[in-house]
Amino acid sequence: MPYIICLVHILEGWIDVQQLEDYLNFINYLLWVFTPLIVLILPYFTIFLLYLTIIFLHIYKRKNVLKEAYSHNLWDGARKTVATVWDGHAAVWHGYEVHGIEKIPEKGPALIIFYHGAIPIDYYYFMARIFIHTGRTCRVVADHFVFKIPGFSLLLDVFCALHGPREKCVEVLKSGHLLAISPGGVREALLSDETYSIIWGDRKGFAQVAIDAKVPIIPMFTQNIREGFRSLGGTNKECSSRTDR
């Protein structure tokens, strides 16, 4: 110990600093305080770095796919970009899966009927998955008020949303496109609950559309669609055509 004290005094004289021992004690105190924090933080930082690496690899993997899409059609590239983001969100956030996707025809028309959750996020996921797997854009009948939301017009146009009427729906199907309709609409979104009661009232026009266009009806239901979001009608929750988280 005397040798250490002697060494401290020699350093004080050499670098012309007073009370060097106090400085060293302070540094030792800081190390004693922050070392446990560093030990705790490092594993989390490693995990963060791993996920950052995974994200980078996913982006790198998708780059050539997106580049190829943009070389064919501007909006197809945009749709593929958006679909990729939404499909990634669906898989990571909700564990979203689609069972029976083979029922969707690769060519030709079909009418898809789905239950309207508090927020139809499952349809967004479904649309993204269909576009990624088949390259087809699924048209959808949206409520009139959606077209009045500021900034939504381009989004609705790019993803081919329409607000009817029945004749327009028949025309879309006869042109060979996929069309999705939720007969319950906003009323079902607000008033239905965790029992998944269907609130269609007298809305049977979709059936007449299928008859007039001579196309098959494909029903779609998303398990746990009410387990993610609350609506004004009660304790409603929501998430996706299969979402288990």
Side-chain angles (χ1 to χ4, degrees):
M1 199 65 183
Y3 293 103
I4 296 176
I5 295 172
C6 182
L7 181 61
V8 168
H9 286 302
I10 292 172
L11 286 173
E12 286 178 352
W14 182 51
I15 62 178
D16 195 26
V17 173
Q18 301 296 321
Q19 306 298 327
L20 179 61
E21 186 177 358
D22 291 337
Y23 286 115
L24 293 175
N25 287 334
F26 181 69
I27 291 171
N28 181 61
Y29 173 75
L30 290 179
L31 289 174
W32 181 80
V33 170
F34 287 105
T35 298
L37 292 177
I38 295 172
V39 171
L40 289 173
I41 290 172
L42 278 177
Y44 293 102
F45 179 76
T46 303
I47 294 171
F48 169 76
L49 191 59
L50 284 171
Y51 276 105
L52 195 63
T53 304
I54 292 169
I55 291 170
F56 169 76
L57 292 175
H58 274 291
I59 293 172
Y60 189 85
K61 177 183 176 182
R62 300 281 186 178
K63 184 182 69 173
N64 290 332
V65 178
L66 297 178
K67 185 188 296 183
E68 182 182 354
Y70 276 107
S71 66
H72 289 89
N73 181 285
L74 173 64
W75 289 123
D76 276 351
R79 291 185 189 104
K80 191 142 216 171
T81 303
V82 174
T84 300
V85 172
W86 276 97
D87 190 59
H89 181 275
V92 173
W93 196 255
H94 292 299
Y96 180 77
E97 300 174 0
V98 177
H99 297 270
I101 197 170
E102 68 279 358
K103 305 293 184 181
I104 306 297
E106 294 184 4
K107 294 181 179 180
L111 181 61
I112 299 167
I113 303 298
F114 65 98
Y115 170 85
H116 201 301
I119 296 178
I121 194 170
D122 59 323
Y123 173 74
Y124 310 153
Y125 292 160
F126 172 76
M127 176 186 63
R129 187 66 58 87
I130 288 297
F131 189 82
I132 290 172
H133 282 271
T134 68
R136 303 194 67 184
T137 301
C138 184
R139 274 74 172 163
V140 62
V141 176
D143 196 278
H144 289 271
F145 88 90
V146 178
F147 293 86
K148 298 178 182 179
I149 299 176
F152 266 53
S153 57
L154 181 60
L155 175 66
L156 295 170
D157 184 49
V158 171
F159 286 95
C160 308
L162 57 142
H163 53 71
R166 185 184 303 173
E167 294 74 20
K168 180 64 177 178
C169 295
V170 173
E171 179 186 333
V172 167
L173 289 168
K174 284 186 174 180
S175 298
H177 299 293
L178 298 173
L179 179 66
I181 297 177
S182 175
V186 177
R187 188 164 178 264
E188 188 169 83
L190 295 177
L191 301 180
S192 187
D193 53 27
E194 65 276 4
T195 64
Y196 291 89
S197 55
I198 294 175
I199 305 177
W200 290 4
D202 295 327
R203 296 180 177 181
K204 301 175 183 176
F206 71 91
Q208 190 61 51
V209 166
I211 292 171
D212 293 344
K214 297 181 175 61
V215 298
I217 293 178
I218 302 175
M220 182 180 79
F221 173 74
T222 300
Q223 182 180 336
N224 299 329
I225 187 65
R226 285 278 171 187
E227 274 62 50
F229 298 94
R230 294 180 182 274
S231 74
L232 297 177
T235 306
N236 295 338
K237 310 165 189 175
E238 177 150 317
C239 189
S240 134
S241 288
R242 204 180 151 192
T243 200
D244 295 327
R245 297 179 192 171

